Amino acid sequence: MLAEIITIGDEILIGQIVDTNSAWIAQELNNIGIRIKQISSVSDDREHILAALKEASKRADVILITGGLGPTKDDITKKTLADYFGVGFVENKDALDNVLQIFSRYNRPMLDVNRLQAQVPANCEVILNKNGTAPGMWFNVDGKIYVSMPGVPHEMMYMMEDSVIPKLKTSLKLPFIIHKTILTVGEGESYLAERIADIEDALPSYIKLAYLPKLGQVRLRLSAYGEDEVLLKEKINEFSAKIVERVANVVAAEEDIPVEKAILNYMEQKGFTLSVAESCTGGYISHLFTQHPGSSKVFFGGAVSYSYELKESILGVKNETLQKYGAVSEETATEMVQGALLNFKSDYAIAVTGIAGPDGGTPDKPVGTVWIAVANVNKMVVKKLTFGNKRHQNIERSAISALNMLNTLLH
Amino acid sequence: MLAEIITIGDEILIGQIVDTNSAWIAQELNNIGIRIKQISSVSDDREHILAALKEASKRADVILITGGLGPTKDDITKKTLADYFGVGFVENKDALDNVLQIFSRYNRPMLDVNRLQAQVPANCEVILNKNGTAPGMWFNVDGKIYVSMPGVPHEMMYMMEDSVIPKLKTSLKLPFIIHKTILTVGEGESYLAERIADIEDALPSYIKLAYLPKLGQVRLRLSAYGEDEVLLKEKINEFSAKIVERVANVVAAEEDIPVEKAILNYMEQKGFTLSVAESCTGGYISHLFTQHPGSSKVFFGGAVSYSYELKESILGVKNETLQKYGAVSEETATEMVQGALLNFKSDYAIAVTGIAGPDGGTPDKPVGTVWIAVANVNKMVVKKLTFGNKRHQNIERSAISALNMLNTLLH
C-alpha cells in the first residue's frame, strides 16, 4: 500500500520553516504498513496544487495533505480540493459546533471568517480538530483516499492519532513492513560495508539494507516488505543478529534510537547517573537527553555556563585557570567536568567548551575549536576537536561528539 | 527563475530523518532571487528518480538534488543521473586527489569503493567536496542546470556556499524576490487579519501577504516579485510600515527572526542580561538563545535543574517548598526565578517547571501542567499553562510560552 504526502504552503518553499510534519507522518504510516512513495512540498497556488494531487493519485492509494486550511486569504487548499473533486460547499454542523466551542472557551467574539471554517466540500467526511478551528477532511473518491489536515503540527498530530490512523487501518488491507536498525559509533560507512559484505550479499530480495551515516555514527537499517509477518520478522532478526555479531565492537544499540537514548538506556540499566557542564553547546546536550521520556532517572541536569562568572560560581572552575589558559582549553574543560561530578554528585559527567562562532576566534584558537571532557570518578577522557565556521553545525557536532565519547567511555 | 529540490533517500520517506537540507537550500536560493517551485523527496529507486528528474525539468530551470551519493550499494543517484543523460563514466582527477587526501589525512587505507567515488558521469563538471569523499556534480543540459550534492548537511552546505551559489549567480540572469516579515506576539491570526484587512486589499498584485501562526505568535510575511528592485523595496517597505503602525502593540520584530532573537536584540540594545532556570524544558530554552551568534552578550547561562537536589543546590529552592507544594507549583517556579536572578546575577530571568510527560502526572497535576515565571528585580509574572500529553510538544510550547511572556514583560 503506497501513500504520498503533499505539504502546501509557501513558508516551506522559501525555507522559513523546516517540514517536520512529513517525517512524523511517514513514521506513523510505516508503523501500520503503508510505504511513502513521495513527499512533495508545493506552493499556495491553485494550478500547482491541482497538478500535485493528480500526479500523487497516479502513484499512490492514500494522499495525505497538510497545510493551507487557515482562515486567511492565502490559504486555498479547501477551495482547491472542492474544485479538484468538482463539488460545492456545505456547512458542517459538527465543525461549526467545534468552532463555536473554541471561541467560547477563549471568550472571544467569533469572526465571519471563522464561521466559514465550518464550510467543507460536499463530498467529504469531517475529521474533528480538537485543537483548532480548521476541520480535517476525508475523501474517498475512485478508490483513492485523500485526507486534508492543518499544517500546525499539534493539530495535525492529534488528528492523525485520534482519527486518521484508526480509519486507515479499518479501511485498508495492509501488508507488513518491518524495519530493524542497528546504531554503530566509531566506524566509517565503507569499513562497515566491507566487514559485512558477505552478509549483505546473502540478503533475500525482500530485505533491503541501508547505511545512514551521521557524524561518527552509522545506522544500519534493514527493511523487509511482504505479506507473511512471521517470516519477515524471523528473517530480519536472523540477518540483524549476524550483523550485530560481526561488528559487535561498535554497536551502541540494536534499535532505532539516537545515541543519547542508547546512553540513557544503558545507564539506567546499570544504575548510573549523569550531569553536564555546557558552554558552547549552550543547553543542547541537556535538551537531547531531556527530550526522552524517563530521562530523569539518569539525568540530574547541570549548568549552562556561558559566562566566566557561572563557570566559576556553579562549576568551581578556578579564575586563575580561565585567566591563564582561557575558557576554551584542556584545563578549563577538565575543571568543568570535575566540577560537574563534584557539585552535581553524578556518576558520570560531560563538559564542553569551545568557540561556536561565527565570531570570537583567534589565530591559535580559531572558530570551531572545541574541547570535550567526559569522566567518571576514576577515568577521564579529554579531546580537542576542530570544526568549521558554522555555528549550528558546530553546536550539533560538538554535542554528538561528546555523546559518542561518553558512549565509548561507558562500554 | 524557478528551481526544484529533489532529495533522494529512503530515510526521509520512512521518517527516520527530518529533511532540514531543503529549508536551508530554499533560503539560500531565495536570497539570490531563485524561487522554489516544488520540493520532492523520493526513494532510492531508479525509475522513481528518473521520473522525478523529468517532472522537475518540465517545471523548473534549476534542479538541485541531494542524497544517494555514498559509497554503498543503496546509493544509486550517480548511476541514475548517467542513465538520465545517456552518458558513461570517467575518472575525475581532482575528485580522486580529494579522496586520496582525505584518506591520508585520517591515515586509513583506501578501499576500492572509495576510489569509485572519483568516477563521475562524462558530461558533468565536478564540484569539489572538501568535507567528504563524494564529489558534487554540475550538469548543464538543454538549457537546464542540474546539481547533485551529498545529503550530509555540512558537506552540502559548504559545497553550496563555496561553489554552487556563486556559479548560479554568474550563469543566470536573476530577477528579484524581496521578503519582509513582521513578528507579532499575543494576537490571533484572524484578529490580525481583520485589523489590517484594508491594507491587505490595497496590496499591488506583485506583493503577496502570508500569515504564519505558531504558538501565540503570528508572522506576517510580505513577498514581492519582479524586475525593478528599487520599486519592490519601496513598495514592500511602504506596506510593511502601514501594517506595523496599525498593529504596533503586538509587534515583536520587523524582520524574519524568531522571538528569542528579537528578545536578544532588544536586551542587547538596552544593556540587559538574562539567565534561566529550566526544569521540564531541560535546556531547550538555553539552546534557543545560544544558537544565535552574539547571544553571550546578553545570556549568562543558567541551570538545568532536573532533580530536586539541583533545584536546591544551584537555585536555592527551599526543600520545604518542594516538599509542601511539589516541584511543579507556583511556589517552586517563583523560587526558581528568584534564585536565578540572585545566583546568576542577571537583570532578567526565566524559570519553567512542569510535567512534560508522558508519565509523571497526577489527578490534580496532569501531564502537560507547566508553571512559568519571568522576572526582573522589580516585577514578576507567574502563569500556569495546561498542554496535552506529547512530550516534545510540551517542551516546545513551554519554551515558546516562556519567551512570549518575557517579550511582553520587556515591552
Side-chain angles (χ1 to χ4, degrees), chain B residues 237-249:
Chain B
N237 286 333
E238 179 189 322
F239 281 94
S240 153
K242 280 185 193 170
I243 294 172
V244 168
E245 196 194 340
R246 182 73 59 85
V247 296
N249 64 320

Side-chain angles (χ1 to χ4, degrees), chain B residues 183-186 213-218 258-260 263 278 281 284-285 288-289 291 350 352 370 372 374 383 385 387 392-408:
Chain B
L183 172 68
T184 71
V185 173
K214 186 185 171 189
L215 303 173
Q217 306 168 4
V218 179
V259 67
E260 75 275 3
I263 289 171
E278 299 192 63
T281 47
Y284 186 60
I285 295 176
L288 289 177
F289 283 116
Q291 69 182 319
I350 296 174
V352 183
V370 179
I372 301 176
V374 296
K383 240 190 223 178
L385 297 167
F387 301 124
H392 283 226
Q393 295 279 335
N394 289 343
I395 292 172
E396 192 192 356
R397 297 177 79 178
S398 300
I400 301 292
S401 302
L403 295 173
N404 291 351
M405 281 170 66
L406 177 61
N407 182 71
T408 303

Side-chain angles (χ1 to χ4, degrees), chain B residues 9 17 80 86 99 105 115 133 179 183 203 205 214 235 240 263 273-274 296 298 340 375 377 383:
Chain B
I17 63 165
T80 308
V99 175
R105 195 192 312 159
R115 186 176 182 109
T133 52
H179 300 293
L183 172 68
L203 285 173
S205 63
K214 186 185 171 189
K235 283 290 168 189
S240 153
I263 289 171
T273 58
L274 176 68
S296 59
V298 167
V377 74
K383 240 190 223 178

Side-chain angles (χ1 to χ4, degrees), chain B residues 42-289:
Chain B
V42 304
S43 61
D44 294 306
D45 172 283
R46 186 178 173 278
E47 294 309 318
H48 195 188
I49 295 171
L50 290 173
L53 288 168
K54 205 170 152 193
E55 282 174 19
S57 73
K58 281 188 223 156
R59 289 182 297 246
D61 308 297
V62 177
I63 296 114
L64 298 181
I65 305 145
T66 65
L69 295 182
T72 51
K73 291 181 192 178
D74 56 316
D75 288 316
I76 60 165
T77 300
K78 195 162 69 175
K79 177 80 184 67
T80 308
L81 282 167
D83 291 351
Y84 179 74
F85 295 119
V87 300
F89 280 88
V90 293
E91 186 173 89
N92 182 278
K93 196 185 165 307
D94 293 340
L96 184 61
D97 287 349
N98 186 51
V99 175
L100 290 168
Q101 204 190 323
I102 285 174
F103 277 84
S104 81
R105 195 192 312 159
Y106 292 107
N107 204 18
R108 299 211 60 165
M110 196 170 91
L111 307 175
D112 285 349
V113 289
N114 299 115
R115 186 176 182 109
L116 284 177
Q117 298 206 275
Q119 296 262 352
V120 296
N123 65 335
C124 88
E125 203 174 313
V126 159
I127 300 168
L128 276 194
N129 180 355
K130 65 180 189 193
N131 295 293
T133 52
M137 293 165 280
W138 174 287
F139 303 87
N140 204 326
V141 177
D142 297 335
K144 308 271 177 181
I145 293 168
Y146 300 77
V147 184
S148 167
M149 295 175 286
V152 182
H154 73 277
E155 296 184 21
M156 178 281 293
M157 288 159 93
Y158 283 100
M159 218 177 254
M160 281 287 291
E161 288 187 346
D162 290 354
S163 310
V164 178
I165 294 287
K167 218 164 141 60
L168 285 172
K169 277 200 224 169
T170 55
S171 310
L172 302 167
K173 191 189 171 309
L174 297 169
F176 294 101
I177 305 183
I178 295 172
H179 300 293
K180 171 104 188 161
T181 300
I182 301 160
L183 172 68
T184 71
V185 173
E187 180 92 290
E189 184 180 3
S190 40
Y191 296 98
L192 276 174
E194 198 173 66
R195 286 176 69 184
I196 61 172
D198 58 317
I199 303 173
E200 187 171 0
D201 286 338
L203 285 173
S205 63
Y206 53 87
I207 300 185
K208 284 182 79 172
L209 172 62
Y211 295 79
L212 310 171
K214 186 185 171 189
L215 303 173
Q217 306 168 4
V218 179
R219 280 176 296 177
L220 301 172
R221 192 191 62 231
L222 290 159
S223 306
Y225 306 88
E227 305 295 328
D228 185 345
E229 189 183 7
V230 175
L231 174 79
L232 295 182
K233 280 196 176 149
E234 188 190 302
K235 283 290 168 189
I236 212 163
N237 286 333
E238 179 189 322
F239 281 94
S240 153
K242 280 185 193 170
I243 294 172
V244 168
E245 196 194 340
R246 182 73 59 85
V247 296
N249 64 320
V250 294
V251 170
E254 293 180 44
E255 54 184 319
D256 186 17
I257 53 175
V259 67
E260 75 275 3
K261 179 64 177 155
I263 289 171
L264 287 172
N265 289 351
Y266 181 81
M267 292 184 80
E268 185 180 346
Q269 182 203 318
K270 295 276 181 183
F272 293 150
T273 58
L274 176 68
S275 68
V276 297
E278 299 192 63
S279 184
C280 71
T281 47
Y284 186 60
I285 295 176
S286 297
H287 170 59
L288 289 177
F289 283 116

Side-chain angles (χ1 to χ4, degrees), chain A residues 42-314:
Chain A
V42 304
S43 60
D44 294 306
D45 172 284
R46 186 178 174 278
E47 294 309 317
H48 195 187
I49 296 171
L50 290 173
L53 288 167
K54 205 170 154 194
E55 282 174 18
S57 72
K58 281 187 222 154
R59 290 181 297 245
D61 307 298
V62 177
I63 296 113
L64 297 181
I65 305 145
T66 65
L69 295 182
T72 50
K73 292 182 190 177
D74 56 316
D75 288 317
I76 60 165
T77 300
K78 195 162 68 176
K79 176 80 182 66
T80 308
L81 281 167
D83 291 351
Y84 179 75
F85 295 118
V87 299
F89 280 89
V90 293
E91 185 173 89
N92 182 279
K93 192 183 169 307
D94 292 341
L96 183 62
D97 286 348
N98 186 52
V99 175
L100 289 168
Q101 205 189 323
I102 285 174
F103 276 84
S104 80
R105 195 193 310 158
Y106 292 107
N107 203 17
R108 298 210 60 166
M110 195 170 93
L111 306 176
D112 285 348
V113 290
N114 299 115
R115 186 176 182 109
L116 284 177
Q117 298 206 275
Q119 296 262 351
V120 296
N123 66 333
C124 88
E125 203 175 312
V126 160
I127 300 169
L128 275 195
N129 180 355
K130 65 179 187 193
N131 295 292
T133 51
M137 292 166 281
W138 174 288
F139 304 87
N140 203 328
V141 177
D142 297 335
K144 308 272 178 182
I145 293 168
Y146 300 77
V147 184
S148 167
M149 294 175 287
V152 182
H154 72 277
E155 296 184 21
M156 178 280 292
M157 288 159 92
Y158 283 100
M159 217 178 254
M160 281 288 289
E161 289 187 346
D162 290 354
S163 310
V164 178
I165 295 286
K167 215 163 142 62
L168 285 172
K169 278 202 227 169
T170 55
S171 310
L172 302 167
K173 191 189 169 310
L174 298 169
F176 293 101
I177 305 183
I178 296 173
H179 300 292
K180 170 106 188 160
T181 300
I182 301 161
L183 172 68
T184 70
V185 173
E187 180 93 291
E189 183 180 4
S190 40
Y191 296 96
L192 276 174
E194 198 172 66
R195 287 176 70 183
I196 61 172
D198 58 317
I199 302 174
E200 187 171 1
D201 286 337
L203 285 172
S205 64
Y206 53 87
I207 300 186
K208 286 183 78 173
L209 173 63
Y211 295 78
L212 309 171
K214 187 186 170 188
L215 303 173
Q217 306 169 3
V218 179
R219 279 176 296 178
L220 302 171
R221 191 192 62 230
L222 290 159
S223 306
Y225 305 88
E227 304 296 327
D228 184 345
E229 189 183 7
V230 175
L231 174 81
L232 295 182
K233 279 198 176 151
E234 188 191 301
K235 283 289 168 189
I236 211 163
N237 286 334
E238 179 190 322
F239 281 94
S240 153
K242 280 184 192 170
I243 294 172
V244 168
E245 196 194 341
R246 183 74 58 84
V247 297
N249 65 319
V250 293
V251 170
E254 294 180 42
E255 54 184 320
D256 186 17
I257 52 176
V259 68
E260 75 275 3
K261 179 63 176 157
I263 289 171
L264 287 171
N265 289 351
Y266 181 81
M267 292 185 80
E268 184 181 347
Q269 180 202 319
K270 295 277 182 185
F272 293 150
T273 58
L274 176 67
S275 68
V276 297
E278 299 192 64
S279 184
C280 71
T281 47
Y284 186 59
I285 295 177
S286 297
H287 170 59
L288 288 177
F289 284 116
T290 59
Q291 70 182 317
H292 297 288
S295 47
S296 60
K297 287 176 205 138
V298 168
F299 186 69
F300 282 170
V304 178
S305 56
Y306 233 48
S307 66
Y308 269 42
E309 288 70 21
L310 291 200
K311 285 188 184 71
E312 295 174 35
S313 66
I314 312 186

